[in-house]
């Protein structure tokens, strides 16, 4: 494999050119084809992606699946997503889970040559050209004070992963982020929904946490939502404090649903029920609520599914602020009531 990695590096250098050698994509592709024929996983993956871009999906999938079967992390993630969603292949959740868990267990990108901006050091990176989260992948719930959560299906949701396209003439996809996190996230969605496998909230949470702690906003949102809802019987205890922490992480990355949920919590507040820790209390703060909701509208758009809800809630926040201001003005014009015997007035 060492010799093939060296040949791969030559192919890479030819694709971008170097001192004394002009760019030669045709020769680079021929070298990659030879490497792919000798079962070099990274070459198979790159050529497979190139074939898909050029509308030769069936041939591309064959090469990517060969790379995945050899354990290439990115290829495993791509094949997992394709089998999960039925993209270019017949949908098969069990096969999807097999590939995704293999990628998630990889622990990081494979060791390959690194050459500047067009580096392929991210063989563990996922191209959002194929890998996008659907509305069903993101836990879509709304926090309710003392009443658990309400799940409302969304028809559409902006892609979770960064937009990615292979520009015309570019052979080497740009490195984005480690694909291990996306694989863990997607595998978690299968365990959470029981799609092709027995439903397992604890396993789903473990996978979401792995992706969340690597910085994936969608996973951070799902961790928060599972903590807020809780599934004690499934091994996931309810924890409102941690839910707020993980929603805040996702909100920092402009995850619309997390922004909305924090806005709703700060608008309504959360009073811990009997037996719940006092640290779970969320005090009403409508200024911060409005800030989160305005950001949700900005990110999702006024006509987006989350944006519409956030706009409506912003109006409710404004009405509540107006009512509170009117009540405060009324109290300031009246004498303070006398304290009844044996009680006190909370100032």
């Amino acid at each position: 494999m060492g010799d093939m990695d060296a040949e791969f590096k030559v192919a890479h250098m030819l694709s971008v050119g170097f001192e004394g050698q002009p760019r030669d994509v045709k020769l680079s592709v021929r070298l990659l084809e030879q490497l792919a024929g000798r079962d070099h996983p990274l070459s198979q993956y790159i050529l497979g992606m190139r074939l898909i871009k050029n509308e030769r999906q069936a041939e591309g999938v064959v090469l990517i699946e060969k790379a995945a079967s050899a354990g290439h992390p990115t290829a495993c993630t791509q094949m997992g997503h394709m089998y999960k969603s039925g993209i270019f292949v017949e949908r098969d959740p069990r096969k999807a889970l097999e590939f995704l868990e293999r990628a998630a267990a990889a622990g990081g990108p494979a060791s390959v040559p690194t050459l500047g901006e067009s580096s392929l050091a991210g063989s563990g990176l996922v191209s959002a050209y194929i890998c996008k989260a659907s509305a069903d992948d993101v836990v879509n719930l709304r926090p309710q004070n003392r009443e658990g959560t309400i799940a409302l299906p969304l028809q559409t949701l902006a892609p979770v992963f960064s937009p990615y396209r292979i520009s015309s003439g570019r052979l080497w996809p740009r490195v984005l982020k480690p694909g291990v996190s996306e694989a863990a996230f997607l595998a978690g969605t299968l365990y959470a929904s029981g799609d092709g496998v027995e439903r397992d909230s604890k396993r789903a949470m473990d996978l979401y946490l792995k992706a969340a702690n690597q910085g994936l906003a969608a996973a951070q949102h799902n961790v928060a939502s599972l903590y807020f809802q809780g599934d004690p019987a499934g091994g996931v205890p309810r924890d409102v404090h941690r839910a707020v922490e993980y929603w805040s992480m996702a909100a920092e990355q402009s995850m619309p649903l997390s922004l909305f949920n924090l806005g709703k919590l700060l608008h309504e507040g959360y009073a811990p029920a009997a037996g719940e820790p006092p640290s779970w209390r969320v005090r009403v703060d409508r200024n911060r609520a409005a800030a989160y909701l305005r950001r949700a509208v900005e990110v999702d758009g006024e006509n987006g599914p989350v944006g519409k809800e956030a706009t409506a809630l912003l109006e409710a926040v404004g009405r509540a602020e107006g009512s509170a201001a009117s009540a405060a003005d009324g109290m300031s014009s009246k004498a303070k009531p006398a304290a009844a015997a044996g009680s006190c007035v909370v100032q």
Side-chain angles (χ1 to χ4, degrees):
M1 185 64 73
D3 289 343
M4 285 196 284
D5 285 342
E7 292 175 46
F8 174 85
K9 186 174 180 178
V10 171
H12 183 193
M13 294 173 69
L14 286 169
S15 75
V16 296
F18 53 93
E19 187 175 354
Q21 172 62 54
R23 185 168 181 258
D24 191 337
V25 173
K26 288 185 178 179
L27 178 55
S28 176
V29 171
R30 285 203 299 272
L31 290 175
L32 283 179
E33 288 173 341
Q34 292 172 11
L35 287 166
R38 290 155 57 197
D39 293 327
H40 186 249
L42 183 54
S43 298
Q44 291 171 331
Y45 173 73
I46 295 296
L47 284 175
M49 289 295 294
R50 185 176 173 82
L51 287 168
I52 287 175
K53 175 64 180 177
N54 292 329
E55 305 297 328
R56 296 165 63 183
Q57 288 90 347
E59 297 170 75
V61 168
V62 168
L63 281 175
I64 295 172
E65 187 154 9
K66 283 183 178 180
S69 297
H72 188 277
T74 314
C76 286
T77 304
Q78 295 286 27
M79 289 309 307
H81 186 75
M82 285 192 276
Y83 276 118
K84 178 180 182 294
S85 304
I87 300 173
F88 308 140
V89 295
E90 185 176 347
R91 189 173 185 276
D92 188 333
R94 289 186 179 276
K95 264 192 174 181
L97 191 61
E98 179 183 336
F99 280 120
L100 291 170
E101 290 205 287
R102 190 170 184 179
S111 176
V112 295
T114 300
L115 290 177
E117 188 180 54
S118 59
S119 161
L120 290 180
S123 65
L125 305 185
V126 173
S127 153
Y129 174 71
I130 293 178
C131 192
K132 294 182 181 179
S134 69
D136 294 335
D137 288 336
V138 180
V139 177
N140 185 20
L141 54 81
R142 303 295 184 271
Q144 301 292 313
N145 191 19
R146 295 178 185 259
E147 297 178 4
T149 58
I150 297 176
L152 301 172
L154 282 177
Q155 297 304 310
T156 58
L157 185 70
V160 168
F161 305 116
S162 303
Y164 170 87
R165 296 291 184 271
I166 302 176
S167 61
S168 58
R170 178 183 288 276
L171 172 64
W172 308 97
R174 185 182 298 276
V175 168
L176 292 179
K177 60 174 68 174
V180 171
S181 57
E182 287 88 343
F185 168 76
L186 292 172
T189 67
L190 292 172
Y191 279 108
S193 63
D195 186 5
V197 66
E198 185 175 351
R199 187 174 180 274
D200 188 334
S201 295
K202 180 63 167 61
R203 179 61 178 153
M205 178 62 100
D206 289 344
L207 288 161
Y208 286 154
L209 279 168
K210 179 170 187 173
N213 294 335
Q214 292 175 349
L216 192 65
Q220 291 167 346
H221 175 85
N222 280 12
V223 166
S225 300
L226 290 184
Y227 271 135
F228 192 90
Q229 181 171 281
D231 182 6
V236 180
R238 189 166 193 239
D239 191 326
V240 174
H241 182 72
R242 287 190 177 182
V244 171
E245 284 185 339
Y246 276 93
W247 271 329
S248 298
M249 292 179 200
E252 287 180 3
Q253 299 191 67
S254 298
M255 184 75 185
L257 280 171
S258 296
L259 290 162
F260 178 88
N261 283 357
L262 289 173
K264 190 173 191 296
L265 271 176
L266 288 165
H267 168 54
E268 298 178 351
Y270 184 85
E276 292 183 341
S279 62
W280 289 7
R281 180 177 299 278
V282 178
R283 300 187 183 281
V284 172
D285 186 336
R286 294 199 172 92
N287 287 330
R288 290 178 63 206
Y292 278 120
L293 293 168
R294 282 194 292 268
R295 179 61 179 153
V297 175
E298 181 183 336
V299 173
D300 199 50
E302 292 184 359
N303 296 319
V306 179
K308 287 180 180 178
E309 286 190 77
T311 298
L313 191 53
L314 264 172
E315 294 174 0
V317 170
R319 290 193 298 270
E321 280 289 281
S323 298
S326 298
D329 289 343
M331 285 297 294
S332 65
S333 64
K334 299 178 182 179
K336 292 182 180 179
S343 68
C344 64
V345 174
V346 178
Q347 301 298 323

